[in-house]
Amino acid sequence: KQEVTQIPAALSVPEGENLVLNCSFTDSAIYNLQWFRQDPGKGLTSLLLIQSSQREQTSGRLNASLDKSSGRSTLYIAASQPGDSATYLCAVASETSGSRLTFGEGTQLTVNP
Amino acid sequence: DAMVIQNPRYQVTQFGKPVTLSCSQTLNHNVMYWYQQKSSQAPKLLFHYYDKDFNNEADTPDNFQSRRPNTSFCFLDIRSPGLGDAAMYLCATSRDRGPVRNEQFFGPGTRLTVL
């Protein structure tokens, strides 16, 4: 059974800092991995999707990497801003679960002005 | 420009009073999902529709049911809400299942309060 872990559970940084959020998964037989952002009381916004054949994806100040063999992904946020404050969730679609996503519990990010 | 729409955004119901949550999509995606998310927890998949094919998760309580009358709409029915059913309910869609075209797009969620 796929399990997804995100470390740290919470992170507080000053504005302008570059930061890395971590995601690990136990079953490397994945189709892809998605990173989401969730603001308090809101739905999930898809940030990046990395297919299992890819090593990284970039969107603006965000860069996500995938090391399938070691069961790890990182989300790099450059030059963080207070508007980046949110909970970041990673989710994997495993070969054994079809389109079902297995979510981590998220990293709550606070960027202080 | 909204792609996945959920109504209402906030729903208050009484213990045991049936409630229906609504989701619609303009993406023409084949797959629609319902998740339950409790405070500070990961979303939990309740069920999904692949076209008209209903797929229930093994641990989804019988209290939860769903309908998909057409491609665009999907409903979540909670027959007898209990206090433990208070949560955020998220609807999502994907073009397809399997290894490709399965990126999921989420709606804004419905916050359910049970009194």
Side-chain angles (χ1 to χ4, degrees):
Chain A
K1 179 186 170 187
Q2 180 73 271
E3 293 181 2
V4 179
T5 304
Q6 291 187 247
I7 293 174
L11 182 63
S12 181
V13 300
E15 181 177 4
E17 193 161 296
N18 302 324
L19 58 100
V20 174
L21 307 180
N22 297 293
C23 172
S24 61
F25 46 95
T26 54
D27 181 359
S28 62
I30 66 170
Y31 288 144
N32 53 52
L33 183 147
Q34 259 183 283
W35 281 95
F36 294 93
R37 169 187 173 136
Q38 187 172 33
D39 292 289
K42 302 289 176 70
L44 277 64
T45 300
S46 180
L47 298 173
L48 291 162
L49 179 144
I50 312 178
Q51 298 292 351
S52 62
S53 58
Q54 297 175 318
R55 298 282 294 181
E56 64 179 298
Q57 282 284 344
T58 298
S59 176
R61 294 183 293 108
L62 305 179
N63 177 277
S65 68
L66 175 65
D67 185 342
K68 201 173 78 161
S69 60
S70 67
R72 294 174 191 265
S73 176
T74 61
L75 179 67
Y76 174 83
I77 303 177
S80 59
Q81 303 171 356
D84 295 330
S85 299
T87 295
Y88 291 80
L89 294 140
C90 73
V92 298
S94 307
E95 292 180 11
T96 54
S97 66
S99 61
R100 293 171 176 81
L101 291 179
T102 303
F103 281 87
E105 297 211 339
T107 294
Q108 186 175 358
L109 173 66
T110 302
V111 181
N112 300 301
Chain B
D1 227 18
M3 296 184 291
V4 183
I5 303 159
Q6 291 188 244
N7 285 304
R9 295 292 311 280
Y10 302 92
Q11 176 73 57
V12 180
T13 191
Q14 292 181 332
F15 183 95
K17 185 175 180 181
V19 66
T20 295
L21 309 183
S22 169
C23 178
S24 63
Q25 53 127 343
T26 59
L27 299 165
N28 203 33
H29 282 175
N30 288 322
V31 194
M32 295 187 77
Y33 309 81
W34 280 105
Y35 290 85
Q36 179 192 66
Q37 187 182 27
K38 297 189 176 180
S39 183
S40 301
Q41 295 184 18
K44 177 182 179 298
L45 182 64
L46 297 174
F47 24 61
H48 75 276
Y49 272 95
Y50 181 66
D51 195 14
K52 296 180 182 178
D53 182 28
F54 177 70
N55 298 267
N56 199 28
E57 295 302 298
D59 57 354
T60 298
D62 292 340
N63 199 26
F64 292 86
Q65 297 183 337
S66 185
R67 298 168 283 136
R68 189 179 185 186
N70 53 52
T71 300
S72 301
F73 284 87
C74 195
F75 301 98
L76 169 62
D77 300 308
I78 308 177
R79 290 194 295 183
S80 182
L83 297 179
D85 297 327
M88 174 75 86
Y89 290 87
L90 298 166
C91 175
T93 73
S94 65
R95 188 180 303 278
D96 211 328
R97 296 187 303 194
V100 293
R101 302 191 302 174
N102 65 356
E103 182 176 5
Q104 292 193 21
F105 297 88
F106 282 76
T110 295
R111 169 73 66 187
L112 178 68
T113 300
V114 181
L115 301 177

